[in-house]
């Protein structure tokens, strides 16, 4: 792939030179008028940015723990940044300036030798009440100026959170995009065999750390979904009533632990999704043999039907501006993706490829719709533009499903079942970026499915 | 058995940790500005140039959106004009996908669904032939002409200009920069002619500045033509390949 890319660039580079030649008559003329030489630069290289992340140094009283953190925090930041695909970490063995020496202004020449474009380092100090304070600076090595300076304090045992917040700040400063490191993933953890499946809701940091179970496994929990702007999830669970199993939708506030039952919805098989403002839920309900998309106002709990007809319309998902909804329908035969306005108007089919399409999810950046596709006996996770063009399959599997976007729309998560041997399968959560090149498994204790990526936490600014 | 109180959710189980940002000093003012006061000789120029930038379409020399290049019409292709460095110009063509607008990094994208379309070898041969003709015809009048200077400058910048893959759509992300050069080719002044608070633009702007800071000095510019390249206006256009 790389070769193609570079030859492409060199082609356009040469093409631009060709045009320079064509237009040079004009250019020469303009020079006679005293105008300086004008050149369009259209080539360059697209490559991960080489960054140096030094080990941190300490200030004041220290202990063993803080000493370890001088390596662990920069390592975690480096890990986050490299996994985004934007950055390349330069080997620390090549750093000429020691962490202690960086406390004053860095010696930029030493960092230019290894072609570090950006240099990050920090100082950790001990604070009362088991707290630590971490000051981080980021420098533009070639421009010789500071790009970021931030000091954070937290309980020492929660140091990972600081590393994630710093990663977000660095990422946002260097890419202009929303960071996604200080986030979590809620998912359904599964144990037991086919007959006695125990499904528990679990939560972990986006890198798999700080794993916790949220439910005890006595109820069947399915398809958690995050609110796009609050630490709030909806999920779907079966309530066992005298009249039989009843599917209900719950709202769970993560910061307070408050649970609210939203209602019983017969014929619902997936949890609803939030609108971008978090005020509405869009869902599909089966009634009288057909399944249609409905919109619920969370305050009034009023339901409004958006699609009509005898077809099965499922998996609705809002565009980030809240104006459009993408969903999946069998109205023209096979299962395909459609978009419509948030009032159910201007319906348009967007998927035309072979196979059937399901679970579309609109990227928070707005530029892609992720979906699951089933074709030729295999499942794929794919991306397409909201107008249906540029379809691209980025991951595949015996069973691969349930894409969910990280804030910023740069990476997404999904789950995949793979066969361990003849009898057993394992299901795991994976993270992949939109280029499709950096897939990795998130380590979970048990089988894991239905991931839902949280929005970013609010950080208190003092 | 009723599950109304859904099983044992505990709020403290989440261990929500608050973080305080004590200070958040972003963007320390630029310490070492490379810009020096304009020397008298460029003052007369200044008035003429600035108003016309950066949206001076007719004068831009390269393409903005090279999206669907029809491969069956080998009219546009690289011309190997610079004899001194013919190895640079590789006569291969990109696979074109005219169906949709490409990303900056589309050619790094993985796609399990289809193979990249290939050019057939005949087209390539033909292109090479046309190239060769172009080269010879151009070579005959090759001297250190302004377009050759422009090429030398562009090539050296391109070798130093890097930007990360998968950045947000790069429409309107062209960064106009004016540089002043010493007679030995050293860049003595870098001035970004268009600033914006758009975080993505800032990323592109910094990439352009970094390319020049990294390059520092141009090689091979003819001293006898110094007046023609003493001041150069560059437009860094992150072309979507």
């Amino acid at each position: 792939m790389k070769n193609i890319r570079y030859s492409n660039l060199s082609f356009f580079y040469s093409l631009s030179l060709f045009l320079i030649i064509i237009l040079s008559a004009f250019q020469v003329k303009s020079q006679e008028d005293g105008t300086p030489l004008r050149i369009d630069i259209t080539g360059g290289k697209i490559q991960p940015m080489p960054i140096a992340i030094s080990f941190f140094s300490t200030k004041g009283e220290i202990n063993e723990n803080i000493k370890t953190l001088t390596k662990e925090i920069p390592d975690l930041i480096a890990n986050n940044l490299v996994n985004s695909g934007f950055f390349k970490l330069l080997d620390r063995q090549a750093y000429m300036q020691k962490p202690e020496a960086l406390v004053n202004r860095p010696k930029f020449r030493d960092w230019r030798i290894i072609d570090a474009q950006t240099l990050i380092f920090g100082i950790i100090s001990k604070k009362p009440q088991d707290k630590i304070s971490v000051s981080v600076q980021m420098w533009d090595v070639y421009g010789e100026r500071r790009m970021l300076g931030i000091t954070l304090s937290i309980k020492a045992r929660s140091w990972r959170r600081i590393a994630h917040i710093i990663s977000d700040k660095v990422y946002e400063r260097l890419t202009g995009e929303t960071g996604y490191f200080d986030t979590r993933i809620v998912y359904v953890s599964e144990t037991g065999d086919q007959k006695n499946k125990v499904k528990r809701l679990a939560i972990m940091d986006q890198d798999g750390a700080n794993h916790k179970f949220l439910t005890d496994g006595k109820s069947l929990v399915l398809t958690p979904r995050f609110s796009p702007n609050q630490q709030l999830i909806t999920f779907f669970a079966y309530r066992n009533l005298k009249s039989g199993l009843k599917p209900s939708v719950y709202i769970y506030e993560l910061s307070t632990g408050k649970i609210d039952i939203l209602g019983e919805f017969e014929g619902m098989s997936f949890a609803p999704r939030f609108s971008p403002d978090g005020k509405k839920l869009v869902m599909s309900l089966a009634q009288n043999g057909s399944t249609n998309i409905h919109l619920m106002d969370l305050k009034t709990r009023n339901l409004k039907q958006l699609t009509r007809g005898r077809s099965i319309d499922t998996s609705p998902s809002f565009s980030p501006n809240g104006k459009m909804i993408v969903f999946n329908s069998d109205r023209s035969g096979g299962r395909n993706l459609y978009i419509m306005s948030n009032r159910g108007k201007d319906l348009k089919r967007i998927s035309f490829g072979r196979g059937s399409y399901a679970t579309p999810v609109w990227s928070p950046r707005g530029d892609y719709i992720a979906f699951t596709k089933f074709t030729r006996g295999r499942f794929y996770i794919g991306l397409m533009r909201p107008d249906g063009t540029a379809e691209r399959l980025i991951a595949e599997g015996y069973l691969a499903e349930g894409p969910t976007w990280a804030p910023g729309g740069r990476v997404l998560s999904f789950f995949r079942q793979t066969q361990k041997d003849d009898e057993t399968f394992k299901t795991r959560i994976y993270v992949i970026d939109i280029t499709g090149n950096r897939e990795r498994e998130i380590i979970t204790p048990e089988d894991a499915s239905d991931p839902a990526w949280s929005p970013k936490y609010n950080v208190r600014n003092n | 058995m009723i599950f109304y109180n859904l099983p044992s959710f505990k709020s403290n189980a989440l261990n929500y940790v608050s973080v305080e940002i004590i200070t958040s000093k972003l963007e320390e003012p630029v310490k070492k500005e490379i810009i020096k006061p304009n020397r008298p000789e460029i003052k007369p120029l200044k008035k003429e140039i600035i108003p016309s930038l950066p949206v001076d379409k007719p004068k831009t020399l390269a393409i903005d959106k090279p999206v669907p290049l029809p491969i069956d019409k080998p009219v546009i292709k690289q011309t190997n004009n610079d004899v001194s460095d013919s190895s640079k110009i590789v006569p291969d063509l990109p696979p074109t996908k005219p169906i949709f607008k490409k990303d900056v990094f589309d050619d790094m994208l993985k796609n399990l669904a289809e193979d990249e379309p290939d050019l057939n070898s005949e087209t390539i041969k033909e292109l090479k032939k046309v190239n060769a003709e172009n080269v010879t015809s151009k070579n005959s009048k090759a001297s250190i002409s302004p377009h050759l200077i422009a090429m030398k400058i562009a090539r050296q910048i391109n070798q130093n200009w890097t930007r990360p893959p998968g950045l947000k759509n790069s429409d309107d992300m062209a960064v106009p920069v004016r540089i002043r050069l010493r007679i030995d080719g050293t860049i003595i002044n870098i001035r970004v002619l268009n600033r914006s608070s758009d975080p993505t633009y800032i990323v592109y702007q910094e990439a352009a500045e970094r390319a020049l800071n990294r390059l520092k000095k141009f090689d091979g510019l003819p001293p006898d033509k110094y007046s023609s390249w003493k001041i150069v206006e560059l437009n860094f256009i992150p072309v979507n390949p």
Side-chain angles (χ1 to χ4, degrees):
Chain A
M1 288 312 258
K2 269 193 171 165
N3 288 336
I4 295 171
R5 172 167 54 103
Y6 286 129
S7 61
N8 255 353
L9 279 175
S10 68
F11 167 72
F12 283 106
Y13 156 63
S14 331
L15 180 64
S16 67
L17 297 184
F18 179 63
L19 288 177
I20 287 171
I21 292 157
I22 291 180
L23 296 170
S24 56
F26 185 75
Q27 195 181 309
V28 174
K29 200 175 172 202
S30 63
Q31 273 184 10
E32 282 160 10
D33 308 338
T35 318
L37 194 57
R38 283 194 180 158
I39 308 167
D40 278 4
I41 308 294
T42 54
K45 272 180 270 178
I46 292 172
Q47 64 178 34
M49 177 189 270
I51 50 170
I53 304 177
S54 161
F55 284 140
F56 287 7
S57 61
T58 57
K59 203 170 89 183
E61 185 197 344
I62 54 162
N63 54 29
E64 250 340 277
N65 185 27
I66 287 183
K67 235 168 128 186
T68 339
L69 291 183
T70 59
K71 294 190 167 57
E72 281 182 322
I73 292 179
D75 273 349
L76 185 50
I77 295 171
N79 191 36
N80 279 339
L81 295 176
V82 169
N83 278 330
S84 75
F86 272 123
F87 305 99
K88 184 183 104 188
L89 178 71
L90 295 165
D91 186 355
R92 293 212 177 91
Q93 303 225 316
Y95 299 179
M96 298 206 286
Q97 256 190 310
K98 293 277 164 282
E100 302 74 45
L102 281 166
V103 175
N104 304 316
R105 211 176 145 85
K107 235 195 249 163
F108 295 108
R109 217 178 39 165
D110 284 0
W111 298 95
R112 280 197 288 262
I113 290 173
I114 58 169
D115 196 27
Q117 297 188 349
T118 309
L119 164 68
I120 295 161
F121 69 92
I123 304 162
I124 308 178
S125 54
K126 201 166 167 281
K127 293 270 162 204
Q129 298 170 335
D130 294 330
K131 280 190 173 179
I132 51 163
S133 150
V134 183
S135 295
V136 172
Q137 294 190 14
M138 176 162 83
W139 292 84
D140 175 349
V141 172
Y142 286 97
E144 302 201 359
R145 62 199 178 99
R146 194 162 77 171
M147 301 171 85
L148 189 75
I150 183 175
T151 305
L152 300 142
S153 91
I154 201 168
K155 293 262 187 207
R157 64 183 153 82
S158 304
W159 62 271
R160 295 185 73 91
R161 182 125 200 259
I162 276 198
H164 289 315
I165 292 170
I166 296 165
S167 308
D168 279 336
K169 298 273 179 203
V170 169
Y171 179 89
E172 285 168 6
R173 180 63 187 76
L174 292 178
T175 68
E177 301 195 4
T178 312
Y180 58 91
F181 303 113
D182 185 27
T183 56
R184 293 176 182 188
I185 293 174
V186 165
Y187 73 96
V188 175
S189 172
E190 293 175 33
T191 45
D193 52 28
Q194 289 296 334
K195 280 175 197 162
N196 301 304
K197 265 247 147 83
V198 177
K199 293 195 172 197
R200 285 184 288 180
L201 217 52
I203 190 166
M204 59 189 174
D205 291 354
Q206 55 66 38
D207 57 2
N210 292 321
H211 186 277
K212 281 186 186 78
F213 291 107
L214 294 176
T215 65
D216 60 11
K218 283 182 188 156
S219 62
L220 197 63
V221 180
L222 298 167
T223 56
R225 302 275 164 80
F226 257 103
S227 157
N229 47 20
Q230 298 166 76
Q231 299 303 319
L232 197 71
I233 51 173
T234 64
F235 62 94
F236 183 73
Y238 281 97
R239 273 172 76 194
N240 198 348
L241 298 175
K242 275 176 197 160
S243 51
L245 282 175
K246 283 233 170 156
S248 305
V249 173
Y250 296 82
I251 285 201
Y252 178 38
E253 211 175 303
L254 284 170
S255 47
T256 62
K258 208 178 118 204
I259 307 177
D260 196 1
I261 184 164
L262 205 67
E264 288 159 15
F265 299 95
E266 277 197 73
M268 180 188 273
S269 55
F270 284 104
R273 277 189 201 278
F274 285 88
S275 62
D277 60 7
K279 289 178 181 159
K280 285 178 180 146
L281 290 175
V282 63
M283 57 183 89
S284 70
L285 295 174
Q287 285 157 338
N288 312 323
S290 68
T291 303
N292 283 299
I293 311 287
H294 291 72
L295 198 59
M296 179 193 250
D297 189 302
L298 270 173
K299 227 178 188 172
T300 63
R301 307 264 160 120
N302 281 342
L303 264 181
K304 192 182 155 204
Q305 187 172 346
L306 295 183
T307 63
R308 282 161 217 288
R310 300 217 53 81
S311 57
I312 297 174
D313 303 338
T314 57
S315 324
S317 165
F318 269 102
S319 68
N321 63 12
K323 288 184 177 152
M324 306 292 287
I325 293 169
V326 62
F327 64 100
N328 148 20
S329 172
D330 67 349
R331 57 188 62 218
S332 54
R335 287 214 287 171
N336 276 296
L337 305 184
Y338 292 80
I339 54 171
M340 64 179 176
S341 77
N342 58 10
R343 293 159 167 269
K345 301 268 161 31
D346 306 325
L347 190 107
K348 194 183 141 204
R349 177 170 163 187
I350 58 165
S351 71
F352 294 94
R354 244 200 297 192
S356 51
Y357 295 80
T359 63
V361 196
W362 215 306
S363 144
R365 202 157 93 171
D367 54 354
Y368 286 110
I369 289 170
F371 55 86
T372 305
K373 183 174 184 173
F374 182 74
T375 179
R376 284 176 263 179
R378 286 187 86 75
F379 280 88
Y380 296 87
I381 302 296
L383 301 174
M384 63 169 69
R385 297 284 187 196
D387 61 2
T389 58
E391 180 179 325
R392 201 150 51 80
L393 303 178
I394 56 170
E396 62 137 7
Y398 166 78
L399 178 71
E401 258 190 291
T404 175
W405 288 97
R410 163 82 191 171
V411 298
L412 61 157
S413 171
F414 63 96
F415 71 98
R416 170 196 282 143
Q417 195 175 67
T418 45
Q419 198 160 11
K420 268 201 288 197
D421 50 61
D422 286 351
E423 298 273 299
T424 49
F425 292 88
K426 76 170 189 173
T427 312
R428 289 292 184 271
I429 291 173
Y430 297 83
V431 172
I432 193 165
D433 73 6
I434 50 174
T435 69
N437 286 323
R438 300 191 68 88
E439 184 186 305
R440 68 204 155 84
E441 181 188 325
I442 305 290
I443 306 299
T444 49
E446 313 280 357
D447 277 352
S449 62
D450 289 314
W453 209 306
S454 84
K456 272 173 72 173
Y457 288 95
N458 293 323
V459 178
R460 207 148 39 98
N461 268 295
N462 288 2
Chain B
M1 202 167 54
I2 291 174
F3 287 107
Y4 184 71
N5 300 313
L6 257 179
S8 65
F9 276 93
K10 284 185 215 130
S11 62
N12 56 359
L14 275 171
N15 184 21
Y16 180 84
V17 255
S18 74
V19 170
E20 284 173 60
I21 297 187
I22 300 165
T23 53
S24 177
K25 281 176 280 169
L26 303 176
E27 299 306 319
E28 170 185 272
V30 179
K31 268 196 174 159
K32 212 178 93 185
E33 188 63 86
I34 318 147
I35 302 168
K36 284 167 196 158
N38 286 329
R39 305 264 160 93
E41 70 260 38
I42 61 158
K43 267 182 184 156
L45 292 176
K46 201 178 160 189
K47 278 178 202 156
E48 295 163 39
I49 312 148
I50 291 178
S52 62
L53 273 176
V55 249
D56 197 356
K57 283 288 170 192
K59 284 191 184 178
T60 52
L61 302 175
I63 28 149
D64 288 338
K65 279 171 194 160
V67 188
L69 286 173
I71 42 169
D72 49 343
K73 286 184 219 156
V75 195
I76 315 169
K77 76 256 74 105
Q78 58 287 348
T79 23
N80 193 347
N81 189 0
D82 187 0
V83 209
S84 60
D85 196 359
S86 52
S87 64
K88 272 274 118 159
I89 296 159
V90 194
D92 51 358
L93 276 178
T96 52
K97 269 198 212 164
I99 331 131
F100 57 90
K101 210 179 130 207
K102 286 191 135 194
D103 268 296
V104 190
F105 61 111
D106 253 6
D107 288 306
M108 299 180 68
L109 303 182
K110 188 168 120 188
N111 190 352
L112 303 169
E114 47 182 291
D115 292 318
E116 297 281 323
D118 259 325
L119 289 178
N120 63 48
S121 52
E122 289 220 352
T123 324
I124 293 175
K125 256 186 233 160
E126 209 176 309
L127 285 176
K128 279 184 179 166
K129 216 173 97 191
V130 184
N131 270 346
E133 280 161 14
N134 270 343
V135 170
T136 40
S137 62
K138 288 278 195 285
N139 276 351
S140 52
K141 44 182 170 175
S143 67
I144 307 278
S145 54
H147 56 252
L148 190 50
I149 295 171
M151 277 178 66
K152 280 175 183 280
I153 290 174
R155 186 186 338 108
Q156 292 178 53
I157 293 173
N158 276 325
Q159 283 164 358
N160 286 283
W161 185 28
T162 61
R163 32 189 213 282
L167 282 182
K168 223 181 250 177
N169 209 335
S170 53
D171 284 356
D172 307 321
M173 289 295 162
V175 180
V177 180
R178 185 187 317 146
I179 52 172
R180 274 171 49 82
L181 306 176
R182 214 184 278 150
I183 196 153
D184 66 353
T186 309
I187 303 169
I188 50 174
N189 184 322
I190 300 171
R191 181 160 171 181
V192 177
L193 300 173
N194 179 27
R195 298 210 175 241
S196 156
S197 57
D198 178 338
T200 312
Y201 182 83
I202 291 172
V203 172
Y204 283 113
Q205 180 199 314
E206 286 173 349
E209 289 175 295
R210 196 185 310 115
L212 296 167
N213 283 326
R214 208 162 162 233
L215 174 64
K216 270 188 184 159
K217 180 172 182 273
F218 289 97
D219 288 327
L221 301 183
D224 57 319
K225 295 275 172 62
Y226 178 51
S227 62
S228 73
W229 51 264
K230 176 166 67 181
I231 297 162
V232 184
E233 286 189 3
L234 305 163
N235 202 15
F236 286 81
I237 305 171
V239 166
N240 301 357

